[in-house]
Amino acid sequence: MSQPLPEDMGQYWALLGKLPTPVFVHDFSRGGELSFLNIAAIEAFGYDKEDLATFDIAIQKVFPDSDYRERAMTAWWAAVDERRKTGRIAPPQEEKITDKSGRLRNVLAGFALHDPYIILTLQDVTKERTAEAAMEAERRRHERKAYLATEHMPGGAYSITLPEGASKARFSFVSTAFCEMMGVSREEVASDIHAAFVNLHPEDRAYWSAQYEKALATQSYVQVEGRLLSGPKERWVCAEAMVRTTAAGETIWDGLLVDITELRETEERLTAVLNAADAFTWRMDLRSGKIKFDMSRVPHEGFAVDDLSLSIDRWFEGVHPDDLAQSRIAYQMLVKGEIPKLIHVYRRRIAADAYIWLRLHAGISARDDSGTPLALSGVTFDVTAEMEAKLRVQEEQAQLREDLQRAQQRDTIAQVAGGVAHDLNNLIAVISGTVEMLENPSVAREAAKQGLHRIRRALGMARDLISGLGRVSRPDLPRGPQDLRKMLADGIELLGSRRMVRHNVHLALPAQDLTIWANPTEIAQVVVNLALNACESGGREQDATVHLAILAQGTRCPSRPPDLGALPDPGARMAMFTVRDTGAGISEEVRAHMFRPNFTTKGSAGTGLGLLIVGNILKANHAALWVESSLGAGSVFTVAWPMDPPIDHPTALPAPVYGPRNGHEAPAPDMLVGLRVLVLDDLPDVAEVLTNMLDGAGAMAFAEADPQEAQAILSEMPAAWSVLVTDLHMPGIDGLEMARFAARLTPPIPAVLITARPEILDDMMRAEFAAVLSKPVSGMELAQAVLQAAPARGVV
C-alpha cells in the first residue's frame, strides 16, 4: 500500500533536502532512476546522483559482495511486498554497505512507498556498533582477568551484590575453590546467601550470619573465622570482604575465603609449649582498664607482689621510652581488631636505671555479642639474655648487616649477593606499588601507614643492595677507613658454618690492623662472591678447600694489567689479599668469557652476575684483581685495594638514608583522566600493581600478561589507546618488539618501558620508547611518564 505524493514536487524535494538523515528517492516508473538524494546522503556516504543513476547500479555499488547483496535484497523486497499487501510499516533493517571511499558502514535502512517512487533512508550507526564492539571486547577481557585472578589464587573468591534500594543481597560471583571449600554448589548459593553457611560448625553458623547481616545493613568491611564440617575432618577458614559502590548504585563486597587450619593447629601447639614454659601469664580487662598478673612472676614486670590490680596507664609507665610509642600502637591495633594476635618485644624498667627485655604473646580472649574485644590475655617471657647476645652481634656488624638486608638469614644473603637482580626487583615492584596504593589516606589507617613506612625503609635498603647487581657502579655509597682484617672475617662468616666446614675455609690474618678506604657492603660483596666461586670450584668427587690471606704490607702488585678493576696509580698505597682454592682450575675457554655479563658455569643455579658485580665495585673503588689458575691445581685470585681515600674525596661523607625515594608522593587522582593505557608484564602481579597506580591517577588502565594478546588488543582499535606500558624481558615477544609493533599502528601508540635492567639498553634501544623507567617505580614517576608520552592528538 502506497501513499500519493503532493502535486508540488519541488516543495517536497526541498523538505527532504533539509532532513539530517540521508534520503534516496528512486522512480520505478523510469527503471528505478534516482530522482533525488539530499545533502546529508552525499556527505555521509560520498556518492552523488551520477554514481547511483539507477537502483540496480546503486545496489551493485553499496553491496559489492554478490552473496551478501542477494541475501539483503531478498529480505528487502520481501519487506516491500509485505508493505504493499498489508500497509504494515516494517522496522528498519540493519545492513553493512560500502561508501564511495570503500569503507564498510553499518546503517539502519528504512523505506516509504509513494508509487511510482520508493523513498529510502539510511541512518549511519557505525560509531555505535564500533563502541559496542569495544565494550564487548573490554567485557571479555575483564571476564578473563577475573577468571585468572580467582581460579589460580590460594583461596576461594566471591562477590556479594546489594542492588540500589534492595533489602536482599545475593552472591553475584563465587569461584570454584569457594564452592569446594564451603561444600556447596553455585546453584545453591545463587538462590540463598545463607546457603553458603550450611556446612559451618553449629557454634559458628549464627555468628557468621549475624556478621554478614550487620555488614549488609551498615555497608561495611567484614572479617570472620569459623570451622567447616564439609570435609573428612574439621577445618578452620577465614573470610574477609571489602566493600565498594558502583556507578549504578550497587553495593558490592569482594571477598576471599582462606583455609587457616594449619595456622590454627600451629597456634594450639604454641599454646601448649607456652603453658609448659617458665613464663608468667596476665589478663587485661578492657572495660575496667585493669591488668592482673600471675603472682609468682609479678616481680619480673617491675611491680610489687602486693600490686594485685594494675591499671593500663600504669603498665605503660614502665615501658622503655624508646619502645613506648611502638608498644602503644601494637596495643591499639589489637584492641581495635586490626590484628588477631600480637607478638611484641620491648624493654621494661625493673629499677631506676635497669631494664629487662620481654617478649609478649597476646590475643583477644573475650568479645561481646557484637564482636567487640572485652579482654586480652597473654604470656610473657624474659628474653634478656637472648636479646643482649643478639645486640652484641648487631653492634659488631651493624652497618654490614643493614646494607646486606638484616631481615634475611645469612645463607640467604650470600645467595642474594650472588645476584638475582631482575627477579628480586620484580618482587620489589609489586610490594612498593602496593604500599604506595595503601598509603592513600582514603584507604589506610594511621597505624598501618606507620607500619608501611617501616616497610618502605626496608625496601630502600634492598634497592641499595640490588643496585649493585643491576647497575655498573654505586658511587653514592659512603666510604671510610675500615680494618681489612675485620672485613674479611665478616665476609667469610656470611658463607655460613656448613659451607665453611665443608670446604675447610681458612683465613690467615696479620697481628696488626690494616686500614683500607672502603664501604663494608662492597668489601663483603667482593669477598663473598670470590669465596663462593672458590667453594664451588671443586669437582664431583672432591670438594675444593679455600684459603684467604692478607699479604704482607708493602707487597707489590703484579706487573701485568689486572683482569678486573682499575690499574693502581703509581705510588698508591695498596693492601693485598688472596682467595686461593684447590679446585679444578680454570680453562682458557672459560677464562675468555668468565668476566662477561650472564656467563656462568653453574647451569641453572648460576646468574652470571657475580664477577660482573665484583668488577664494577673494583672500578668504583680504584681497586684491581688478578687471576692465576692451573687445570687440576686450583686458582688464586689476588685483590689490591687502596689504603687511602681519593684525592678529590670529600672530607665529610653523608650517611645512607633508607626511606621513600623522590617521586613517591601520590599523583593527583585526575592527573591522567581521559587516558587509556594498556599495561603489559609477563608477571600478572606486576601488571596489576602498575594498573592500580594508573587507575589511582585517573587513567583507564588494563593489565595484560600475554604479549601476543596485547598485540591483538592494540591492533583491534589503535585509536582507543593512549599509551602502552611494557616490561622488557618477556617470553616470545620482548618489550622492544612490542614498542616497534605499537609504533607501526595507525595511529601509532607511544610506549613506556619499565625494566629491572635499564643498563643493558643502548641509545638506539632507548629511542624506541617515550620513556624508560627503572623498577621499582613509584606512582608519580609512572604517571608523569605516561602523561608526557600521551600524544598531543588527544585520546579516545
Side-chain angles (χ1 to χ4, degrees):
M1 183 180 295
S2 62
Q3 298 178 359
L5 283 171
E7 296 181 359
D8 187 353
M9 294 299 296
Q11 291 184 357
Y12 192 67
W13 300 144
L15 176 62
L16 294 179
K18 295 178 180 180
L19 292 178
T21 302
V23 176
F24 304 81
V25 180
H26 288 273
D27 185 351
F28 280 84
S29 67
R30 300 173 63 88
E33 177 184 289
L34 180 63
S35 301
F36 174 82
L37 77 167
N38 63 1
I39 298 299
I42 298 173
E43 292 177 347
F45 305 110
Y47 294 114
D48 57 22
K49 196 170 182 180
E50 293 180 359
D51 296 324
L52 308 177
T54 68
F55 186 78
D56 290 338
I57 293 174
I59 64 172
Q60 292 282 341
K61 291 190 175 182
V62 299
F63 296 130
D65 183 273
S66 59
D67 292 337
Y68 185 88
R69 180 171 62 248
E70 182 177 355
R71 290 195 299 272
M73 295 312 300
T74 298
W76 188 79
W77 281 118
V80 171
D81 291 341
E82 179 70 14
R83 174 69 183 278
R84 284 175 171 155
K85 292 177 182 178
T86 65
R88 186 165 48 247
I89 299 176
Q93 295 179 198
E94 183 163 345
E95 304 288 355
K96 295 181 182 293
I97 69 169
T98 302
D99 64 15
K100 188 171 182 179
S101 64
R103 291 180 301 171
L104 200 61
R105 311 286 285 275
N106 293 79
V107 297
L108 291 176
F111 67 90
L113 300 180
H114 295 279
D115 287 334
Y117 297 99
I118 295 182
I119 301 174
L120 296 174
T121 60
L122 298 180
Q123 181 181 352
D124 191 345
V125 293
T126 304
K127 292 182 179 180
E128 288 82 351
R129 297 299 178 261
T130 302
E132 290 170 359
M135 291 176 64
E136 176 63 18
E138 183 176 337
R139 184 188 64 78
R140 290 197 301 269
R141 286 195 295 273
H142 277 293
E143 287 181 350
R144 182 171 178 269
K145 285 169 57 180
Y147 174 81
L148 293 175
T150 59
E151 295 302 316
H152 301 288
M153 62 172 52
Y158 63 93
S159 293
I160 298 175
T161 299
L162 180 65
E164 184 178 17
S167 59
K168 187 175 181 180
R170 60 180 176 81
F171 278 104
S172 54
F173 171 78
V174 288
S175 69
T176 302
F178 178 89
C179 294
E180 292 174 349
M181 293 173 67
M182 297 298 288
V184 295
S185 66
R186 284 188 171 90
E187 292 74 16
E188 289 171 333
V189 299
S191 60
D192 181 8
I193 188 173
H194 294 287
F197 309 142
V198 67
N199 290 317
L200 282 168
H201 193 286
E203 296 176 3
D204 301 331
R205 193 179 306 150
Y207 175 68
W208 272 54
S209 294
Q211 290 301 304
Y212 272 94
E213 289 294 343
K214 178 181 178 181
L216 294 174
T218 59
Q219 299 190 3
S220 59
Y221 161 87
V222 62
Q223 179 183 16
V224 288
E225 294 182 5
R227 292 158 291 178
L228 276 177
L229 304 178
S230 57
K233 70 172 186 175
E234 181 179 286
R235 292 175 298 126
W236 278 91
V237 293
C238 175
E240 182 176 7
M242 302 295 293
V243 64
R244 61 185 173 90
T245 303
T246 68
E250 295 179 323
T251 303
I252 298 178
W253 286 261
D254 295 315
L256 183 65
L257 181 73
V258 181
D259 190 323
I260 59 170
T261 305
E262 186 174 342
L263 176 61
R264 281 286 188 165
E265 292 174 348
T266 302
E267 290 176 350
E268 292 175 1
R269 290 193 295 270
L270 179 60
T271 300
V273 171
L274 293 176
N275 290 338
D278 184 16
F280 67 89
T281 60
W282 52 268
R283 186 178 189 277
M284 180 183 296
D285 189 324
L286 299 177
R287 291 169 295 186
S288 65
K290 298 292 185 178
I291 308 174
K292 292 185 178 181
F293 294 92
D294 171 7
M295 298 311 298
S296 65
R297 297 300 299 265
V298 164
H300 283 260
E301 277 283 299
F303 300 106
V305 175
D306 57 355
D307 196 344
L308 299 178
S309 184
L310 179 70
S311 70
I312 296 175
D313 291 338
R314 176 87 185 282
W315 182 86
F316 277 116
E317 290 176 3
V319 177
H320 192 286
D322 292 346
D323 302 331
L324 183 58
Q326 193 60 37
S327 297
R328 288 188 181 277
I329 291 172
Y331 164 75
Q332 290 295 335
M333 292 178 68
L334 185 59
V335 169
K336 293 178 180 179
E338 296 174 6
I339 54 176
K341 55 186 175 298
L342 172 67
I343 300 177
H344 180 53
V345 178
Y346 67 100
R347 288 163 289 181
R348 172 164 290 286
R349 184 177 62 247
I350 58 173
D353 296 315
Y355 289 85
I356 59 173
W357 283 94
L358 298 174
R359 182 170 64 239
L360 174 148
H361 297 254
I364 299 171
S365 56
R367 300 176 185 267
D368 62 16
D369 293 339
S370 66
T372 301
L374 298 178
L376 308 180
S377 298
V379 183
T380 301
F381 295 87
D382 187 335
V383 293
T384 304
E386 175 188 342
M387 291 301 299
E388 288 179 349
K390 190 176 294 185
L391 288 173
R392 283 194 297 270
V393 174
Q394 290 177 351
E395 289 172 0
E396 293 173 0
Q397 297 184 335
Q399 186 62 48
L400 178 62
R401 290 180 63 82
E402 183 177 6
D403 290 339
L404 292 179
Q405 301 256 30
R406 59 188 173 185
Q408 299 196 20
Q409 297 179 355
R410 291 179 173 180
D411 289 341
T412 304
I413 294 175
Q415 296 303 319
V416 172
V420 286
H422 183 273
D423 292 339
L424 193 52
N425 258 324
N426 273 328
L427 295 177
I428 291 176
V430 175
I431 298 172
S432 179
T434 305
V435 167
E436 180 179 336
M437 179 181 64
L438 292 176
E439 284 179 329
N440 189 319
S442 65
V443 297
R445 299 180 176 89
E446 185 62 27
K449 289 181 66 178
Q450 295 182 18
L452 292 174
H453 182 67
R454 291 194 299 275
I455 293 174
R456 195 174 292 286
R457 287 203 308 271
L459 283 172
M461 291 187 288
R463 196 171 189 274
D464 182 43
L465 176 61
I466 293 168
S467 64
L469 307 174
R471 297 200 300 263
V472 296
S473 66
R474 292 183 293 174
D476 56 330
L477 285 179
R479 301 183 177 97
Q482 307 291 342
D483 183 2
L484 180 58
R485 300 184 309 161
K486 185 175 185 303
M487 295 296 97
L488 291 184
D490 289 341
I492 292 305
E493 186 174 315
L494 291 175
L495 295 177
S497 58
R498 292 178 59 186
R499 187 179 279 109
M500 293 173 66
V501 171
R502 177 179 176 182
H503 296 281
N504 192 24
V505 178
H506 179 68
L507 179 61
L509 301 176
Q512 301 297 322
D513 292 351
L514 184 59
T515 302
I516 60 173
W517 186 263
N519 173 272
T521 303
E522 292 181 321
I523 280 287
Q525 288 180 268
V526 171
V527 173
V528 170
N529 273 295
L530 294 180
L532 274 178
N533 286 344
C535 289
E536 296 168 357
S537 64
R540 295 182 178 178
E541 300 179 359
Q542 182 68 40
D543 287 332
T545 60
V546 180
H547 182 84
L548 288 87
I550 295 179
L551 303 183
Q553 192 167 349
T555 301
R556 300 183 63 179
C557 297
S559 58
R560 65 181 179 85
D563 296 294
L564 275 181
L567 183 68
D569 296 330
R573 295 197 311 148
M574 308 294 287
M576 311 272 293
F577 68 91
T578 59
V579 180
R580 184 186 305 270
D581 65 68
T582 60
I586 304 171
S587 67
E588 289 300 321
E589 179 181 0
V590 171
R591 184 163 185 152
H593 299 86
M594 62 188 290
F595 301 116
R596 296 181 180 178
N598 302 317
F599 176 80
T600 179
T601 60
K602 304 173 187 176
S604 60
T607 63
L609 295 176
L611 289 178
L612 175 65
I613 295 170
V614 169
N616 291 333
I617 292 174
L618 294 175
K619 290 178 184 178
N621 286 272
H622 305 286
L625 177 145
W626 292 264
V627 182
E628 300 293 340
S629 183
S630 299
L631 287 177
S635 306
V636 179
F637 288 71
T638 301
V639 178
W641 201 282
M643 300 175 65
D644 303 307
I647 297 176
D648 58 348
H649 196 279
T651 55
L653 289 171
V657 177
Y658 296 120
R661 294 185 290 130
N662 292 337
H664 272 293
E665 61 272 22
D670 59 351
M671 183 175 181
L672 302 180
V673 167
L675 298 184
R676 289 171 58 93
V677 184
L678 182 64
V679 178
L680 173 62
D681 197 299
D682 59 320
L683 290 179
D685 283 342
V686 177
E688 288 293 344
V689 167
L690 297 176
T691 300
N692 288 335
M693 289 181 179
L694 294 169
D695 286 343
M700 293 181 63
F702 304 87
E704 181 55 57
D706 185 352
Q708 291 183 338
E709 181 68 15
Q711 286 189 346
I713 292 171
L714 293 176
S715 59
E716 183 179 0
M717 285 192 66
W721 298 99
S722 310
V723 177
L724 166 68
V725 174
T726 179
D727 187 19
L728 181 59
H729 296 293
M730 296 178 292
I733 302 173
D734 63 15
L736 196 61
E737 186 175 346
M738 281 298 305
R740 291 168 178 164
F741 172 86
R744 292 193 298 267
L745 297 174
T746 303
I749 303 172
V752 172
L753 177 68
I754 302 180
T755 176
R757 298 290 304 281
E759 73 280 357
I760 69 173
L761 299 174
D762 58 29
D763 291 341
M764 293 183 64
M765 294 178 180
R766 287 177 177 269
E768 301 284 351
F769 301 93
V772 176
L773 303 178
S774 176
K775 291 181 180 177
V777 64
S778 73
M780 179 59 78
E781 292 170 333
L782 179 58
Q784 288 175 340
V786 168
L787 185 62
Q788 294 172 4
R793 62 178 167 81
V795 297
V796 176

